[in-house]
Amino acid sequence: MTTENPAGDTGIERFEIRVKGHLEPRWAAWFDGLSLSTHDDGTTVIAGPVVDQAALHGLLQKLRDLGIPLVSLTQIPPDTTASQQEN
Amino acid sequence: MSAAEPVADGPLLQTKLHVPRRRRGVIARPRLGARLRRDDLPALTLISAPAGFGKTTLLAEWVAGEGPATGWLSLDARDNDPAVFWTYVVAALRAAVPEVGGSALALLRSHAPMDAVVATLLNELNDVAGDVVLVLDDYHLIEAQELHEAMAFLVEQLPPQIHLVIGSRADPPLPLGGLRGRGDLLEIRAADLRFTPDEAATYLNDTMGLALTGDDVDALEARTEGWIAALQLAALSMQGRDDVTDFIAGFAGDDRFIVDYLADEVLQRQSDEVRAFLLQTSILSRLTASLCTAVTGQGEAKAMLDLLDRANLFLVPLDDRRVWYRYHHLFADVLRARLLDEEPDLLHDLHRRACDWYAAHDDRPEAIRHAMAAEDFPRAAELIELAAPMLRRTRQEATLRRWLEALPGEVFETRPVLAMGLVGAHMATGSIVGVETLLDDVERWFRPVPAGDTSGPALQMVVADHDEFLRLPAQAAVQRAGLALMAGDTAGTIAHANRALDLLVADDGLIRGAAAALIGLADWRLGELEAARSRYADAVATFVRAGFFADSLGCSIALVDIQLALGQLTDAMRTFEAGLALAVEHGPLRGTADMHVGVAELLRERNQLDAALDHLHAGEQLGEHAGLPQNAYRWRVAAARIKQAQGDFAGALELLDQAERVYNTDFSPDVRPIGATRARVQLAQGDVASAVAWVRDRGLAADDDLSYVREYEHITLARTLLAQHTTGRVSQPSADLLGLLDRLLDAAEDGQRAGSATEILILQALAHQARTDTRTALATLEQALERAQAENYVRVFLDEGAPMVALLRAAANQGVAVHHARRLLAEVDDAPSAPSRQAVVDELSSRELEVLRLLRSDLSGPDIARELLVSLNTVRTHTKSIYSKLGVNNRREAVSRSAQLGL
């Protein structure tokens, strides 16, 4: 966990959730405003700050309820936006 | 609401208990039916797969076939409240077996703990003849850990004729591994549920009439991987299309999330009106025409629902008359996500309209859910305040607490009734953080504004429940009394509780009873027994009058403890008998088991050991869950004392050890510590060393200051000192002992504790006798007998064993308190409770048995010592111990008693 950062969201962790299939950007609101980026391998990465573990589980539950196959879940360092650079 | 009918004090949605109706376009799946044989079901059948795999459809089709009686329950998020969950589970079971679950529901209403409800339900299920199936669909919506634990217990204990079937999107946290290992689990998972290519072909071509080629079917099957919801969406998209093969090629070559792609296709083909209707009504967990009209503002909702139903647009009918529907859950999520993206500003309005409709139709929980979703907290607060009495009556405290905690903090500043509700929720879970502040918020509205202060309170108070508002001052005072009690502030407890009584609104039995009980408890802690007795008697009567029967039983237990200290055995018996009568009339009530245990304890004192055991057994039969928190330990202590009376000291000690592990006073003063009771059994057993060690551990000394709370321990100390003398460790009963007993007697008399005084007099008599001062011993015994006669105390004498029997004989011979002395001796003579052979054999050590064998010979004491290669003193110690265990006074009696017992 970070000690301090300029954005002021101290303690809030960032996650990347990769799912199978391309999700359109309109799903962003459904996933609490996280960013969605699609990839050539047929996956979508949903990324951004997640308040706490309960919120993270809430997100995973939303994915489960849509029947979207989950590929991976990664915690990412606060200042990188790896997925977007990758694309 | 039309679909709700009152069951078990709360409206149940009957649609949750209905097996979902057959939807159009369902294909037969014999390969799955063959696995789900209804005549050979394991304990648990788990249908676990993601959304849209046809779980509910499979279960509904399966239930529709021939088979055992079946109950169905469609779970939803509101079922996370244990009171709601178990009410529905019982209702579902009753649909299959009408006579089951009555006791469980009654317990639920009597505020018994939930594990008691579950244990009782299991008992009732045990008695069911024939197979019964309970289907719990959408189990993934259950998140409460408490419920998972209870369900795990239920599954583990399930009688063989009861079968549980669970449909879920995620594996439930139940002990699946163990069940699997025992062959008690049947699993149907995503791989089993997917459509095979043949099933896909049947569905697409036969059911949906699409006339696809083999290649097209294969392409669809490959792209959807047999996911049924996707195939359904695809079929809907293709209906009436000419370019089906192009469509399939486009779909197969696209990377988009299948449901996204297909839902787009389906929605694009709908009119604007249908599309708007679908999006706007997606916020509803259930749909009916007038509700949809209220939310969408479109007039023809009934026609629209019929249209959607016919067009197979993911509408699931919830009843036979097609009045209530819901969307297929997966499709509803897709619609909601679109609504959120396309018309985020509309969302709050839609929820507010749904809230209004539900409020007007008296479904407050659903109205509150929508008010919360609309973030209209003042409205939510208003509805919660009005719903609170119903929620408390039906034990939905968990729901109430969740709602209250979801409201922003500032709501409570202006809503004193809700603030008090939050206080109650906190106090019930034992968390007192923030309670003082909330009470300040409440009481601010009752404080007179000082003269000259024209500013007035800046906030405007809001009250919806005016009856409840009038109770607040007294309620606040009672809660402050409770806080003071938890902080150990006895004076504060009494002051606040008295204030509550002053502030009381007429005939508010709950507050009056609670205040009386709190004052009684404080008085009890202070040793003011007569005052405590009168307060508790008032609390019991008040609770009974107001219909709070379980609370009255809780107070009865305290009342009897106090009556016993006061020496009012007969009154104590009446208290318990009244409690048992209440339980018969209004039960089962939590606390009924405690009444049986209490009666057992009183019967033991009267030496009616068989009857006492019957009551202990009755208490046990009800299950420990029919008891208050103290009952687990009190049952074991009562059982231990009966064992002691039967001479089974080892059994008594074992039970006391168990009692210590489940000990819980629930705020009552610990006036009979288990350690002291254990020391008493050890003394009766002749194990003086252990009792001495206990005295040392507790730091007890004959010149301690005396207090009521430690009286039982100090009397036990006196017993230990006396035993040290009689076993020859101390030649004379010390002045310490006699002084201690004198002071104990004075203290008991001062405190009107006649029960304690009788026991102290008995010990004094034995102490004098031990100094061979028989005259004083008899004079003292006479006082004890006279006091004991009216209330018919027996065991307090007989538990002293042989020395007391000898004294009683002397008393009877010399005409001292003859009546009661003879009565006691009669109990000894036909002693059904005299130590049995086995008990004696168990009690005697192998060394003591050896000494006993030699006592029956002609050998003298010194001869026996030489024979055993020990000192004469050691032989004397063994001999005394043997006499005590056999209940005899000399060698001759020991020989004849051992012969009687066939040793």
Side-chain angles (χ1 to χ4, degrees):
Chain A
M1 205 179 295
T2 55
T3 48
E4 205 177 347
N5 72 31
D9 54 347
T10 308
I12 293 189
E13 300 176 358
R14 297 173 63 84
F15 285 92
E16 259 188 21
I17 304 169
R18 189 178 292 267
V19 297
K20 193 171 153 191
H22 284 172
L23 274 177
E24 309 221 334
R26 67 154 151 258
W27 285 93
W30 187 249
F31 292 111
D32 304 331
L34 299 188
S35 71
L36 265 59
S37 54
T38 53
H39 296 258
D40 292 343
D41 59 359
T43 62
T44 301
V45 168
I46 304 164
V50 177
V51 186
D52 55 19
Q53 285 288 308
L56 180 62
H57 283 283
L59 274 173
L60 295 176
Q61 218 164 70
K62 280 186 177 172
L63 291 168
R64 178 196 76 189
D65 288 343
L66 283 172
I68 303 179
L70 182 64
V71 177
S72 68
L73 169 65
T74 324
Q75 189 181 353
I76 50 175
D79 297 312
T80 43
T81 42
S83 57
Q84 276 152 13
Q85 290 158 359
E86 187 188 313
N87 215 11
Chain B
M1 198 166 13
S2 63
E5 84 182 41
V7 181
D9 290 351
L12 291 193
L13 294 174
Q14 292 300 315
T15 50
K16 284 166 61 74
L17 303 169
H18 276 210
V19 181
R21 297 298 120 196
R22 293 183 69 132
R23 288 167 52 211
R24 296 177 176 91
V26 168
I27 68 161
R29 310 190 73 187
R31 67 183 175 87
L32 294 176
R35 292 191 54 192
L36 278 167
R37 296 243 326 273
R38 297 197 71 188
D39 53 353
D40 184 25
L41 280 174
L44 175 63
T45 302
L46 176 63
I47 319 287
S48 184
F53 271 81
K55 299 182 292 294
T56 302
T57 306
L58 174 69
L59 285 172
E61 288 290 300
W62 172 70
V63 167
E66 286 289 303
T70 300
W72 179 286
L73 174 56
S74 299
L75 294 163
D76 61 50
R78 271 154 70 176
D79 297 320
N80 279 297
D81 184 320
V84 178
F85 180 86
W86 291 112
T87 304
Y88 272 110
V89 165
V90 170
L93 283 167
R94 281 161 92 92
V97 194
E99 62 274 16
V100 92
S103 302
L105 281 183
L107 267 186
L108 199 62
R109 277 186 230 119
S110 85
H111 291 231
M114 287 299 163
D115 42 3
V117 175
V118 178
T120 304
L121 180 60
L122 268 170
N123 278 341
E124 293 183 83
L125 288 173
N126 263 314
D127 296 337
V128 171
D131 286 75
V132 175
V133 176
L134 173 65
V135 180
L136 299 178
D137 197 21
D138 289 330
Y139 193 85
H140 56 272
L141 293 171
I142 298 303
E143 291 167 348
Q145 188 53 34
E146 184 187 349
L147 286 176
H148 289 317
E149 284 166 17
M151 282 298 292
F153 175 75
L154 186 89
V155 169
E156 289 287 343
Q157 308 289 324
L158 214 56
Q161 73 276 25
I162 312 294
H163 310 281
L164 193 61
V165 177
I166 286 179
S168 180
R169 288 180 186 173
D171 283 6
L174 299 174
L176 300 179
L179 289 165
R180 210 177 273 132
R182 293 198 299 274
D184 267 341
L185 176 66
L186 168 62
E187 289 170 276
I188 305 233
R189 311 190 63 90
D192 310 303
L193 287 162
R194 290 177 200 287
F195 272 176
T196 62
D198 282 348
E199 284 170 333
T202 307
Y203 170 71
L204 294 166
N205 287 335
D206 299 355
T207 308
M208 301 303 285
L210 288 168
L212 303 182
T213 66
D215 285 350
D216 284 346
V217 171
D218 288 348
L220 278 174
E221 153 73 17
R223 173 72 170 97
T224 60
E225 298 174 50
W227 187 13
I228 298 173
L231 282 164
Q232 284 174 327
L233 278 168
L236 282 175
S237 312
M238 289 183 291
Q239 270 177 337
R241 247 186 221 273
D242 304 325
D243 55 343
V244 165
T245 303
D246 288 350
F247 168 83
I248 292 172
F251 172 44
D254 195 288
D255 270 343
R256 282 163 69 192
F257 172 48
I258 298 177
V259 167
D260 228 1
Y261 184 97
L262 294 171
D264 261 356
E265 291 288 332
V266 172
L267 287 173
Q268 269 168 24
R269 306 179 72 204
Q270 309 305 321
S271 68
D272 286 350
E273 200 194 355
V274 170
R275 210 169 171 281
F277 183 90
L278 286 171
L279 292 192
Q280 292 178 13
T281 54
S282 70
I283 62 153
L284 301 170
S285 52
R286 305 159 71 239
L287 301 94
T288 195
S290 72
L291 170 59
C292 292
T293 301
V295 168
T296 62
Q298 293 182 19
E300 294 303 308
K302 175 71 183 132
M304 182 66 82
L305 286 172
D306 289 344
L307 173 82
L308 297 179
D309 191 4
R310 273 198 309 280
N312 217 354
L313 278 168
F314 298 93
L315 212 50
V316 182
L318 293 176
D319 54 50
D320 291 326
R321 293 171 299 141
R322 292 182 133 72
V323 173
W324 282 96
Y325 296 90
R326 67 170 168 83
Y327 287 118
H328 187 282
H329 296 309
L330 172 58
F331 192 57
D333 271 2
V334 171
L335 291 176
R336 273 181 222 138
R338 263 159 216 270
L339 176 68
L340 190 62
D341 178 58
E342 292 175 18
E343 309 213 50
D345 300 338
L346 198 54
L347 208 59
H348 284 181
D349 279 344
L350 295 172
H351 278 297
R352 210 169 281 132
R353 286 179 220 155
C355 167
D356 289 343
W357 188 91
Y358 275 115
H361 288 75
D362 284 336
D363 186 344
R364 288 200 178 117
E366 201 60 16
I368 290 163
R369 190 179 77 80
H370 283 292
M372 292 279 199
E375 296 184 15
D376 185 348
F377 298 117
R379 179 90 166 114
E382 179 90 0
L383 288 163
I384 294 169
E385 189 167 321
L386 292 171
M390 178 277 287
L391 291 167
R392 290 202 189 92
R393 197 171 58 244
T394 55
R395 297 203 59 191
Q396 300 182 47
E397 289 96 350
T399 300
L400 182 58
R401 190 165 60 243
R402 193 161 37 80
W403 283 340
L404 290 173
E405 284 168 356
L407 288 173
E410 59 267 24
V411 168
F412 299 102
E413 289 171 18
T414 55
R415 285 200 165 265
V417 175
L418 271 193
M420 185 57 79
L422 193 55
V423 167
H426 282 320
M427 296 288 275
T429 52
S431 85
I432 55 168
V433 181
V435 165
E436 292 263 10
T437 315
L438 282 165
L439 286 172
D440 290 343
D441 277 347
V442 172
E443 287 178 334
R444 184 178 41 186
W445 302 105
F446 304 109
R447 219 168 291 139
V449 181
D453 182 355
T454 50
S455 63
L459 299 166
Q460 189 66 43
M461 178 173 74
V462 192
V463 170
D465 185 341
H466 292 277
D467 289 345
E468 193 63 18
F469 177 73
L470 296 177
R471 303 178 66 219
L472 290 184
Q475 253 181 311
V478 161
Q479 298 288 19
R480 286 201 188 275
L483 281 180
L485 185 81
M486 284 189 220
D489 172 9
T490 313
T493 306
I494 294 176
H496 285 300
N498 272 320
R499 210 159 47 78
L501 291 173
D502 289 342
L503 293 166
L504 209 58
V505 183
D507 64 298
D508 190 331
L510 186 57
I511 293 181
R512 185 191 159 96
L518 282 162
I519 297 173
L521 186 46
D523 282 339
W524 189 11
R525 284 189 179 181
L526 291 171
E528 302 288 344
L529 292 190
E530 183 44 43
R533 190 203 57 75
S534 128
R535 290 292 183 173
Y536 269 113
D538 182 22
V540 168
T542 304
F543 280 137
V544 170
R545 263 201 312 278
F548 295 96
F549 303 117
D551 300 271
S552 86
L553 296 191
C555 290
S556 295
I557 293 165
L559 176 57
V560 164
D561 275 349
I562 296 162
Q563 286 171 324
L564 287 183
L566 291 169
Q568 300 165 351
L569 219 52
T570 311
D571 286 352
M573 190 61 109
R574 275 195 208 112
T575 303
F576 279 142
E577 282 165 355
L580 280 176
L582 270 186
V584 168
E585 195 178 341
H586 304 284
L589 296 174
R590 190 178 185 200
T592 309
D594 306 63
M595 299 296 107
H596 281 295
V597 170
V599 172
E601 173 64 10
L602 297 178
L603 289 171
R604 181 204 62 81
E605 179 53 47
R606 298 243 164 103
N607 205 32
Q608 299 171 30
L609 300 186
D610 289 341
L613 282 171
D614 286 346
H615 274 281
L616 267 194
H617 188 64
E620 193 180 25
Q621 285 298 97
L622 288 171
E624 288 209 342
H625 305 302
L628 295 160
Q630 309 95 306
N631 191 51
Y633 99 83
R634 291 178 72 116
W635 189 93
R636 290 171 174 83
V637 170
R641 299 193 70 192
I642 293 175
K643 291 262 187 221
Q644 180 186 356
Q646 292 172 326
D648 177 3
F649 301 117
L653 290 174
E654 167 65 29
L655 280 161
L656 290 175
D657 287 346
Q658 290 177 18
E660 213 153 42
R661 288 197 286 274
V662 293
Y663 184 67
N664 178 354
T665 60
D666 200 32
F667 291 112
S668 299
D670 185 11
V671 289
R672 290 184 171 228
I674 294 172
T677 304
R678 183 193 288 112
R680 288 167 177 234
V681 175
Q682 286 161 340
L683 289 172
Q685 191 185 18
D687 178 6
V688 181
S690 294
V692 170
W694 169 80
V695 166
R696 208 167 32 239
D697 278 357
R698 298 293 299 159
L700 293 165
D703 56 357
D704 283 345
D705 286 337
L706 302 181
S707 70
Y708 162 60
V709 174
R710 297 202 78 184
E711 180 182 61
Y712 186 72
E713 289 192 306
H714 279 121
I715 295 177
T716 312
L717 166 66
R719 291 179 167 284
T720 310
L721 295 173
L722 181 60
Q724 281 182 304
H725 163 70
T726 50
T727 51
R729 283 165 212 225
V730 179
S731 55
Q732 277 280 311
S734 56
D736 277 2
L737 169 60
L738 294 174
L740 173 61
L741 285 169
D742 281 347
R743 290 195 304 129
L744 278 168
L745 185 60
D746 285 347
E749 305 276 25
D750 280 353
Q752 296 166 288
R753 295 188 295 273
S756 313
T758 304
E759 187 186 354
I760 296 163
L761 284 167
I762 286 170
L763 292 178
Q764 282 185 331
L766 290 170
H768 290 304
Q769 179 65 7
R771 309 171 73 203
T772 61
D773 180 358
T774 304
R775 210 167 56 86
T776 315
L778 283 177
T780 315
L781 180 66
E782 182 174 21
Q783 291 184 51
L785 287 167
E786 275 164 3
R787 283 162 189 254
Q789 180 165 335
E791 298 282 352
N792 196 14
Y793 278 92
V794 178
R795 284 296 343 164
V796 70
F797 293 92
L798 299 194
D799 283 344
E800 305 301 341
M804 176 51 70
V805 173
L807 258 187
L808 287 169
R809 291 226 158 88
N813 290 339
Q814 296 179 28
V816 172
V818 182
H819 181 72
H820 198 50
R822 289 215 174 119
R823 188 150 80 194
L824 293 175
L825 286 168
E827 297 278 349
V828 181
D829 290 338
D830 47 57
S833 60
S836 69
R837 177 179 186 279
Q838 196 50 47
V840 172
V841 172
D842 286 348
E843 278 320 313
L844 292 173
S845 67
S846 58
R847 196 60 163 183
E848 287 166 350
L849 280 168
E850 224 173 329
V851 174
L852 181 58
R853 183 177 56 79
L854 296 171
L855 286 174
R856 292 160 76 176
S857 70
D858 294 325
L859 292 178
S860 68
D863 289 339
I864 294 174
R866 269 191 296 279
E867 177 82 13
L868 295 174
L869 303 171
V870 297
S871 73
L872 181 56
N873 260 341
T874 304
V875 171
R876 284 197 181 125
T877 305
H878 284 311
T879 309
K880 274 191 176 128
S881 172
I882 292 166
Y883 290 0
S884 137
K885 287 170 184 178
L886 292 176
V888 298
N889 291 314
N890 54 46
R891 187 168 177 175
R892 189 177 49 76
E893 287 178 22
V895 170
S896 92
R897 182 98 186 95
S898 71
Q900 262 173 29
L901 291 168
L903 291 173

